[in-house]
Amino acid sequence: MRLRSLRGPWVAICLRIALGLVAALMGWPAAMGQSASPLPSDGVSISGAVVDSAGRHIPDVFVRLERSSVPGAVETTTDASGSFEFHSLKVGDYTLIAQKSRLRSHSTSVSATSADEVKQVKLVLEDLSAPVNAMEFADAPNFTVAGVTDWTAVGGHGSDSSLRTSEALTREALTLKPEAEHHSVTPATPNSIESDQAEGRLRAELANDPRSFAANHQLGEFYFRAARYHESIPLFGAAYEINPSDHGNEYDLARALKEVGDFQRAREHIQKLLAAEEVADYHRLAGELDEKLADPLAAVHELEQAVRLDPSEDNYFAWGSELLLHRAVWQAEQVFRKGAGAYPKSARLLTALGTALFASARYDEAAARLCEASDLNPSDSEPYIFMGKIEMAAPDSLACVEQKLARFAQDQPGNSLANYFYAMAVWKRQQQSADPLALQQVETLLTKAVTIDNKCADGYLQLGILRSSQRKYEDAIGLYEKAIEANPQLAEAHYRLGVAYDRTGEKTKAKEEFVLHDEIEKRQAAAIEEQRREVKQFQVLPQGPSVPPAAR
């Protein structure tokens, strides 16, 4: 985890750059004006107005225009009368969508068939974040993932902390567990007396009849539940040889092969099962295997089909996660939103929805969803950690976050991260109000964080920044050194240490730290760019199948 403090006017500049970068990545504007990636030119014009549900025209609304099957988009904002206009477009099919804060229009399709055509469109803003019922789920979203492309929009921006935060949160969101699994008791290990007895009995049954399907399958199932996957595979395999028509056993064999990394054999079995019958679990496993085998396009279609067959919480999460991983952020948001509407008690769907909203620079909405997730189970630390990270990356303090992080720190006083993130939220607010008591609270919370966990490098770093702001450079040096000891790759700690050495006249040491900072930044930027090149980005068309209604 690599988190940065606010740095006065420089932060505003950096955050504007970060917001612009995220906007460019998502194809949605972070500031007024046209996109840097215009669509091909011709003579078509598309113009219109954005109104609310009462028909009132709304100014300063972002309007996005995409041409079907053509990467890129153009964006503009409505003028004081709520009007917008796009000029010099190619003949073709287009999709428009408008957004302002929590309000958004449905996608509207426009077809231009002649070079000098003028099209008029009216977009109606609605609160699409509100929960919808199952009947409405069939109406939207409508999209099709049509292909993949290299992700080049972020090249050369490896130092951008806001984008890095989004990428890190995406990776963490993919590992979120369902409520039952998250709080389940760890199964007994094979060393327990009870487990030993069960294993002995099952092994004896198999020894008595080695050609028994049931004996092979049941011992394989025992090993699978104990996460002894390598031992389960020969048993499931033997049961498959005895009775290849038993789909449950073959599904278990495919799952075990996936767990040991034999993705190709696992996919062969799951494809055989799908040829025999359409089952949602088979499609979800097929999607997971396709992703592992670097075929994300096949994966996302399998996961979509799993939702259509069984709109369960697990399937919504898997489909949305695949979309989010491959930067189809708006589509991921829609899937997570539908899932969260169908399963309002799912903290992981709300947390994933918050992550998708953050990725599209909708910080206030992201915070609201994460706060809701934290209320579902206040003892679960994951939503708090996500909201703490987006609070630090967002341009302004986010409503509800400081209050929830205060609860986190109060309920879990021995949690280093609880104290750290609450401190950073208070500090961010203090910089707006210049409250000395709040600053003292920040110091107390950060000190507590590093006392609980002496490997809390970010806590030492922030304490050092606090001491430097008070011109206590000798104290700051010691804290920066502790941060580096806890995490030698924390580039900002090296930079800050260099500044502190420079302030105390130790120019040689300062230069050494600046050199280390630059080297670390360069290595980390290269590693991040490599990660980005490995993750393909989905190309999404606006027309396609819709999210099915949830099972009731």
Side-chain angles (χ1 to χ4, degrees):
M1 179 177 62
R2 186 171 177 274
L3 302 167
R4 295 176 181 265
S5 66
L6 301 178
R7 305 184 198 169
W10 284 105
V11 171
I13 295 171
C14 292
L15 286 170
R16 289 191 190 101
I17 295 171
L19 189 55
L21 177 59
V22 173
L25 175 61
M26 297 301 102
W28 190 258
M32 293 185 181
Q34 294 293 322
S35 166
S37 302
L39 297 173
S41 298
D42 207 337
V44 174
S45 294
I46 298 177
S47 60
V50 179
V51 300
D52 62 16
S53 57
R56 294 183 293 263
H57 288 234
I58 308 175
D60 299 323
V61 179
F62 291 123
V63 182
R64 170 189 174 92
L65 179 73
E66 292 182 340
R67 184 180 173 200
S68 296
S69 304
V70 177
V74 288
E75 301 93 11
T76 189
T77 53
T78 57
D79 60 20
S81 66
S83 300
F84 64 90
E85 193 165 9
F86 296 97
H87 292 293
S88 302
L89 303 171
K90 282 279 189 184
V91 170
D93 296 324
Y94 291 87
T95 301
L96 293 101
I97 191 167
Q99 180 184 353
K100 184 172 185 178
S101 186
R102 294 171 63 92
L103 303 177
R104 186 147 54 90
S105 72
H106 289 288
S107 297
T108 298
S109 298
V110 177
S111 181
T113 57
S114 61
D116 57 351
E117 198 166 356
V118 177
K119 292 287 187 177
Q120 291 286 330
V121 181
K122 180 178 287 187
L123 302 175
V124 181
L125 290 186
E126 303 176 50
D127 185 358
L128 299 182
S129 67
V132 295
N133 60 41
M135 289 297 292
E136 295 171 313
F137 281 5
D139 298 336
N142 289 314
F143 61 86
T144 297
V145 179
V148 294
T149 185
D150 290 333
W151 185 21
T152 58
V154 297
H157 297 279
S159 64
D160 176 60
S161 61
S162 180
L163 180 58
R164 291 188 184 188
T165 300
S166 175
E167 293 168 331
L169 289 178
T170 293
R171 289 191 295 271
E172 291 174 31
L174 302 183
T175 67
L176 293 171
K177 302 297 183 186
E179 189 76 7
E181 185 176 341
H182 190 69
H183 298 286
S184 64
V185 178
T186 302
T189 66
N191 292 327
S192 69
I193 295 175
E194 188 176 308
S195 183
D196 281 345
Q197 290 175 342
E199 181 181 4
R201 176 178 55 78
L202 291 170
R203 289 178 66 88
E205 290 176 2
L206 180 61
N208 186 55
D209 187 359
R211 293 296 298 166
S212 166
F213 171 87
N216 279 282
H217 178 78
Q218 288 170 7
L219 185 55
E221 195 173 41
F222 172 85
Y223 287 139
F224 186 91
R225 287 199 304 267
R228 294 163 64 179
Y229 304 115
H230 284 283
E231 293 172 84
S232 72
I233 289 170
L235 295 158
F236 287 141
Y240 174 73
E241 293 296 329
I242 295 166
N243 183 8
S245 65
D246 190 290
H247 292 174
N249 178 77
E250 188 170 12
Y251 175 62
D252 289 340
L253 174 58
R255 288 197 300 158
L257 289 166
K258 171 181 173 284
E259 291 297 336
V260 302
D262 195 343
F263 306 128
Q264 187 59 51
R265 282 180 62 203
R267 184 160 68 169
E268 290 169 4
H269 281 288
I270 209 68
Q271 286 175 339
K272 178 176 176 290
L273 289 169
L274 282 169
E277 60 177 337
E278 290 272 303
V279 176
D281 285 348
Y282 298 169
H283 280 287
R284 188 171 77 240
L285 182 55
E288 293 168 357
L289 291 166
D290 287 335
E291 174 60 35
K292 295 290 188 183
L293 290 166
D295 191 356
L297 186 59
V300 75
H301 292 316
E302 293 286 2
L303 295 170
E304 177 183 358
Q305 184 63 11
V307 173
R308 300 188 68 78
L309 290 171
D310 177 15
S312 66
E313 194 265 0
D314 278 343
N315 290 339
Y316 270 119
F317 182 80
W319 184 21
S321 296
E322 185 71 12
L323 291 163
L324 184 61
L325 174 63
H326 294 280
R327 308 307 293 179
V329 174
W330 278 52
Q331 291 73 25
E333 176 221 320
Q334 292 175 47
V335 170
F336 286 136
R337 194 182 297 280
K338 302 313 172 191
Y343 300 94
K345 299 299 184 182
S346 173
R348 71 167 175 166
L349 280 173
L350 282 171
T351 302
L353 174 57
T355 303
L357 290 164
F358 176 82
S360 57
R362 292 154 69 187
Y363 302 125
D364 290 324
E365 285 187 77
R369 303 292 80 76
L370 291 169
C371 288
E372 288 177 24
S374 73
D375 288 340
L376 291 174
N377 181 12
S379 65
D380 183 359
S381 62
E382 285 175 334
Y384 297 114
I385 292 171
F386 276 68
M387 74 174 72
K389 292 180 181 180
I390 72 164
E391 170 74 6
M392 294 186 68
D396 303 303
S397 294
L398 301 170
C400 85
V401 167
E402 184 179 340
Q403 175 189 358
K404 303 302 182 185
L405 290 174
R407 180 178 67 190
F408 186 27
Q410 180 178 353
D411 292 350
Q412 301 185 39
N415 187 319
S416 176
L417 289 177
N419 288 278
Y420 172 76
F421 282 124
Y422 182 35
M424 297 311 296
V426 173
W427 197 355
K428 191 170 189 176
R429 188 242 311 154
Q430 182 275 335
Q431 290 181 334
Q432 299 168 349
S433 62
D435 180 359
L437 292 178
L439 200 60
Q440 180 58 52
Q441 184 184 14
V442 169
E443 182 175 355
T444 300
L445 288 165
L446 288 174
T447 301
K448 189 173 182 181
V450 299
T451 301
I452 294 167
D453 179 10
N454 62 7
K455 296 297 183 182
C456 183
D458 292 299
Y460 286 121
L461 171 63
Q462 300 301 333
L463 278 170
I465 293 171
L466 183 59
R467 290 287 188 271
S468 291
S469 70
Q470 300 165 342
R471 301 183 184 277
K472 299 177 181 178
Y473 297 115
E474 294 293 345
D475 290 347
I477 287 171
L479 290 163
Y480 293 142
E481 288 175 340
K482 287 184 177 180
I484 292 168
E485 181 182 354
N487 180 6
Q489 300 306 308
L490 188 57
E492 186 176 359
H494 287 282
Y495 178 82
R496 296 278 187 173
L497 180 56
V499 171
Y501 278 140
D502 186 68
R503 295 288 190 274
T504 57
E506 298 187 72
K507 304 296 184 182
T508 301
K509 288 185 176 181
K511 184 177 180 180
E512 290 173 353
E513 293 301 325
F514 291 144
V515 169
L516 283 171
H517 165 267
D518 292 346
E519 290 175 350
I520 293 169
E521 282 278 291
K522 185 177 180 179
R523 286 198 304 271
Q524 291 177 345
I528 287 171
E529 291 303 319
E530 180 61 29
Q531 278 184 331
R532 290 168 179 167
R533 283 192 294 269
E534 291 176 356
V535 178
K536 298 293 184 180
Q537 182 171 332
F538 283 144
Q539 293 176 315
V540 182
L541 300 181
Q543 291 84 21
S546 62
V547 174
R552 293 294 182 182

